[in-house]
Amino acid sequence: MNYEYIITQKEGNIEIITLNRPKALNALCGDLMKELACALNGAENDDNIGCIILTGSEKAFAAGADISEMAPKSFMDVYQEDFITTDWEDVTKCRKPVIAAVSGYALGGGCELAMMCDFILASDTAKFGQPEITIGTIPGAGGTQRLTRLIGKSKAMEMCLTGRMMDADEAERSGLVSRIIESDKFMDEVKKTASKIASMSKPIAMMAKESVNKAYETTLKEGLSFERRLFHASFATEDQKEGMQAFTEKREAKFKDK
Ligand code: DAK
């Protein structure tokens, strides 16, 4: 597929998907989200890819869903067509690890898209916010839910009620991002992290991801039991044998994804 609003690039066993709609600060129009869903699906089905990076430009990861697309819609339009629901959550369906690499604005749907990824690496220029209230609506792709789980009720409530932006330092302190990286080294560091993940056994990385995600969906007791079952299951893989043998032989493991 030829893309108009994104750029895809393979570097070794990582795939970099760059949102590329610079004139509108990567506003997430329907066609962009269709292209993103298609690219994510391609990376998921490429056996060589072990980690996906989703990023934007230096100025904006994404400034939200496309306001000019939304503005003319009536309640009946958005309700009946289940407006922009299709394609929006495809990133959460990926079994491979997905890193959001955020520079500049991640606002509204942009912040929500970043939060759907497995973790966020932020450049020191990153700014996060849920400004929907300032345009007379509320977050619609998880902003009131994922943000609250990530940074707690008080901060999430303040952000959703005032629309104020959080800088990278505050986002790191609050647990929204895993790490801040200086802007001049940003993509190099992000790629290093992605390559590290991609060098692991792919099925074991999937198990780790699935198990961390369970923490959001179950009680602690059920989550611990799920983790235990997957931990035991990892012993059925060749990669667990190889990993532990390599450790005892003081050499690098060579995983076969089996
Ligand atoms: N949509 C459309 N165009 C946008 C845009 C957006 N969200 N954000 C920026 N642009 C466009 C501007 O209109 C401008 O276009 P031209 O006038 O040059 O043609 C261009 O990008 C540059 O923007 P500015 O001139 O405003 O640039 P500044 O540096 O002065 O300001 C800014 C940057 C990011 C502070 C400002 O552009 C801004 O406040 N943007 C809007 C931010 C916002 O309110 N975002 C939330 C949108 S609501 C759902 C899924 C998702 C959603 C809902 C439901 N479902 C699955 C159901 C999401 C909703 C939203 O995100």
Side-chain angles (χ1 to χ4, degrees):
M1 178 172 178
N2 282 334
Y3 297 124
E4 186 180 352
Y5 298 119
I6 63 170
I7 298 167
T8 60
Q9 202 184 335
K10 292 184 203 303
E11 282 191 23
N13 45 10
I14 64 177
E15 172 117 8
I16 304 161
I17 304 176
T18 306
L19 307 175
N20 183 37
R21 206 186 160 208
K23 286 189 184 146
L25 301 181
N26 293 332
L28 304 164
C29 60
D31 286 344
L32 185 155
M33 294 312 287
K34 261 193 208 109
E35 292 183 6
L36 177 59
C38 181
L40 288 168
N41 192 40
E44 272 286 280
N45 289 315
D46 183 338
D47 290 342
N48 196 38
I49 297 298
C51 188
I52 301 164
I53 298 171
L54 178 59
T55 193
S57 67
E58 276 179 34
K59 179 151 190 206
F61 175 76
D66 191 315
I67 299 172
S68 47
E69 229 174 48
M70 284 186 285
K73 303 265 182 195
S74 70
F75 165 74
M76 272 310 158
D77 294 332
V78 293
Y79 184 72
Q80 293 204 50
E81 70 189 59
D82 205 5
F83 179 60
I84 58 171
T85 296
T86 320
D87 300 323
W88 256 86
E89 297 200 315
D90 280 39
V91 68
T92 65
K93 296 180 198 148
C94 287
R95 298 182 74 206
K96 292 181 180 172
V98 185
I99 303 174
V102 175
S103 287
Y105 297 112
L107 303 179
C111 185
E112 293 171 316
L113 181 63
M115 290 190 290
M116 286 178 209
C117 297
D118 295 313
F119 62 96
I120 303 175
L121 290 173
S123 149
D124 50 22
T125 63
K127 290 187 190 71
F128 299 88
Q130 297 293 161
E132 289 86 346
I133 197 159
T134 66
I135 54 167
T137 183
I138 69 165
T144 64
Q145 304 301 303
R146 289 194 179 91
L147 188 66
T148 307
R149 281 169 163 79
L150 287 167
I151 69 173
K153 178 184 166 189
S154 194
K155 265 189 192 289
M157 189 69 92
E158 188 205 342
M159 289 182 71
C160 291
L161 289 179
T162 65
R164 87 164 169 90
M165 292 183 214
M166 221 184 220
D167 65 15
D169 282 332
E170 186 179 1
E172 189 190 31
R173 274 200 312 278
S174 313
L176 176 58
V177 311
S178 68
R179 194 150 57 90
I180 304 174
I181 299 164
E182 287 165 42
S183 48
D184 55 341
K185 306 186 195 134
F186 185 55
M187 279 315 285
D188 287 344
E189 275 297 316
V190 172
K191 285 181 202 171
K192 264 190 217 158
T193 305
S195 297
K196 177 91 187 163
I197 293 170
S199 74
M200 307 296 172
S201 161
K202 293 185 191 72
I204 300 294
M206 277 180 196
M207 287 184 196
K209 168 170 171 163
E210 206 180 344
S211 197
V212 172
N213 280 335
K214 265 286 180 266
Y216 283 95
E217 288 150 14
T218 54
T219 61
L220 179 60
K221 194 167 175 222
E222 285 163 353
L224 289 170
S225 157
F226 182 83
E227 179 194 76
R228 194 65 37 87
R229 294 281 85 81
L230 280 187
F231 169 75
H232 289 157
S234 73
F235 282 67
T237 66
E238 288 180 27
D239 286 342
Q240 175 268 336
K241 301 285 168 284
E242 164 61 11
M244 293 195 184
Q245 198 173 335
F247 177 81
T248 52
E249 291 170 4
K250 300 192 185 303
R251 61 172 174 83
E252 284 273 301
K254 288 198 185 82
F255 295 123
K256 293 191 205 143
D257 303 326
K258 286 183 179 163

